Amino acid sequence: MANPAYVAVDWGTSSFRLWLIGRDGGILAERRSGEGMTSAAKTGFSQVLSGHLAAVEAPENLPVIVCGMAGARQGWVEAGYIDVPAPLTSVLTAAVSVPGESRDIRILPGLAQRNAATPDVMRGEETQLLGALGTASSGAQAVCMPGTHSKWVHVGDGKVTGFSTFMTGELFDVISKHTILSHAVAGAEAQPADAAAFEAAVSAAFARPALASNLLFTARSGQLLHGISAASAQARLSGTLIGLEIAGALQNAANSGITLVASGRLQALYEQAFRTLSLTFTAIDADAAVRRGLSAAAEAIWPN
């Protein structure tokens, strides 16, 4: 095997991603599974990690850097939070060691916004943010990180000044499965996507966010009265929620350009939404960003 330097792990609520990183920064091996925090809390975090380390033949003395929900209060070891405003680099020196392990395992902290009117937290996205913007970012930026709980982060000259969480992905899942709209979207996956319906819904929700719950119901009423397809109904639901998110995120922000940190289907959806609204953006791959953030942390903790 090539000379490995460390193992990088992104441990989410429902997902686990591990990369064996070489001394040249290249990826020597990769593992992905559904053994997120929820599953690992039952199986045992150490056992889950050990199984993946054995699968990539990681040497016994190789250190491991972890970000994400493994550091939550209900995770492996609580890693706490860095309060904002704070430099992006602040997470690099605040990693928590996991006790009782034969190898050096560190878990990175999250970020907390303790304003009583707008309390918010993130865990995992701070590492992705660091990897996306780098340790020497300058100027003011709005960063969008879509997901189950989308994060919009405001960064100025390398410092996180504030952020907001939007439950867009979770709301889509709940509404499409556990409300009257579940009948409207049934079978949508078997039909071609309706881009026009998505774009119209994004525009409507962005322009009239106060009507969001009414706009959502049109996915059902439009089907009953005008025979729109399940794919169109799903597109209306998705577009309304994403348009609502963008409207809220940009409510008090000038459009100086957005950095979109995403991958796969979510990247495509948000790019489509931004184009529909004529918003300027730059896209950065989320997987690459989190690896770069974990690498920055590893190099700061183990410089040799």
Side-chain angles (χ1 to χ4, degrees):
M1 176 181 288
N3 197 7
Y6 58 89
V7 173
V9 176
D10 179 13
W11 213 324
T13 302
S14 58
S15 64
F16 176 94
R17 296 182 294 176
L18 176 149
W19 299 275
L20 181 64
I21 306 296
R23 295 202 175 276
D24 63 353
I27 301 172
L28 304 179
E30 180 176 350
R31 299 277 293 178
R32 293 173 183 256
S33 80
E35 296 163 297
M37 179 196 67
T38 304
S39 171
K42 300 174 183 177
T43 307
F45 287 90
S46 183
Q47 182 178 336
V48 170
L49 179 61
S50 295
H52 288 283
L53 292 173
V56 299
E57 300 180 356
E60 292 184 4
N61 64 342
L62 202 65
V64 180
I65 184 73
V66 181
C67 73
M69 294 304 291
R73 184 173 300 173
Q74 64 272 42
W76 194 356
V77 174
E78 187 174 5
Y81 296 101
I82 302 292
D83 290 354
V84 301
L88 272 172
T89 55
S90 60
V91 299
L92 298 178
T93 56
V96 173
S97 296
V98 177
E101 295 293 321
S102 59
R103 68 176 76 235
D104 189 358
I105 302 173
R106 310 283 184 100
I107 303 178
L108 294 172
L111 294 180
Q113 181 170 277
R114 296 188 188 271
N115 185 309
T118 57
D120 219 320
V121 292
M122 70 167 69
R123 191 173 291 283
E125 293 92 353
E126 75 295 320
T127 307
Q128 196 176 76
L129 187 66
L130 177 65
L133 302 185
T135 57
S137 64
S138 60
Q141 302 178 63
V143 183
C144 171
M145 294 182 282
T148 302
H149 298 152
S150 296
K151 305 290 183 182
W152 282 76
V153 188
H154 297 286
V155 180
D157 294 327
K159 179 179 287 188
V160 177
T161 57
F163 61 94
S164 302
T165 300
F166 295 84
M167 295 176 61
T168 306
E170 185 167 5
L171 285 173
F172 178 85
D173 185 67
V174 170
I175 292 170
S176 64
K177 293 178 180 177
H178 303 291
T179 72
I180 190 67
L181 298 189
S182 63
H183 303 293
V185 303
E189 289 73 16
Q191 301 173 1
D194 190 334
F198 174 81
E199 292 168 3
V202 167
S203 296
F206 184 81
R208 297 175 292 165
L211 293 179
S213 60
N214 169 253
L215 294 171
L216 287 170
F217 188 71
T218 64
R220 176 64 172 168
S221 56
Q223 194 170 71
L224 291 172
L225 301 177
H226 302 294
I228 68 171
S229 68
S232 295
Q234 186 183 70
R236 286 196 186 193
L237 171 56
S238 177
T240 299
L241 291 173
I242 291 176
L244 184 64
E245 174 190 320
I246 298 170
L250 299 182
Q251 183 177 21
N252 298 312
N255 179 24
S256 57
I258 299 164
T259 299
L260 173 64
V261 185
S263 57
R265 182 173 178 273
L266 280 179
Q267 179 180 348
L269 280 176
Y270 277 74
E271 286 185 352
Q272 186 179 0
F274 291 155
R275 291 192 187 100
T276 298
L277 299 173
S278 299
L279 296 173
T280 303
F281 69 93
T282 301
I284 296 175
D285 181 75
D287 276 7
V290 76
R291 285 197 303 270
R292 284 196 296 266
L294 286 165
S295 293
E299 290 163 9
I301 296 168
W302 306 295
N304 298 319

